[in-house]
């Protein structure tokens, strides 16, 4: 993987997490104003496809769904899964082509 590839992946990762953060923000605003909400399933799916850091950041900074179980536990499990995948990609580069 070249440096340009790494930069592209990092940019996509950042953009996805900013998008997820903004969707969590929108849901928090909808909750405050009694408007239509985004389903928990959708919020967790967004975290699972790569937006876990944005989701956790929104959860902590916006105080959104911090007491809601099992949402909180599932989000933590997704974050751990993503951390494990990053560790595998970083420390076992021969597995990278199989995972990507």
């Amino acid at each position: 993987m070249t440096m340009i590839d790494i930069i592209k992946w990092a940019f996509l990762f950042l953009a996805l997490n900013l998008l997820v953060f903004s969707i969590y923000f929108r849901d928090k605003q909808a909750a405050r104003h009694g408007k239509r909400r985004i389903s928990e399933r959708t919020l967790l799916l967004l975290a699972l496809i790569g937006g876990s850091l944005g989701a956790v950041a929104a959860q902590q900074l916006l105080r959104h769904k911090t007491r809601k179980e099992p949402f909180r536990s599932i989000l933590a499990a997704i974050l751990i899964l993503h951390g494990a995948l990053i560790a595998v990609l970083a420390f076992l580069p021969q597995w990278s082509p199989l995972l990507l």
Side-chain angles (χ1 to χ4, degrees), residues 17-33:
N17 279 280
L18 288 172
L19 175 67
V20 171
F21 185 93
S22 68
I23 291 170
Y24 272 65
F25 176 77
R26 181 175 174 223
D27 187 54
K28 178 68 175 189
Q29 291 300 100
R32 284 182 177 160
H33 299 292

Side-chain angles (χ1 to χ4, degrees), residues 41-96:
R41 178 182 225 160
T42 300
L43 293 173
L44 289 171
L45 182 62
L46 289 168
L48 183 63
I49 63 170
S52 60
L53 290 179
V56 170
Q59 185 184 41
Q60 296 304 309
L61 293 172
L62 304 174
R63 310 256 327 129
H64 189 46
K65 297 198 179 282
T66 54
R67 292 181 280 166
K68 183 88 171 171
E69 285 295 346
F71 186 91
R72 190 175 71 168
S73 297
I74 294 170
L75 185 56
I78 291 170
L79 187 64
I80 291 167
L81 171 69
H82 286 170
L85 285 173
I86 289 169
V88 166
L89 290 172
F91 296 112
L92 299 172
Q94 68 271 21
W95 286 18
S96 295

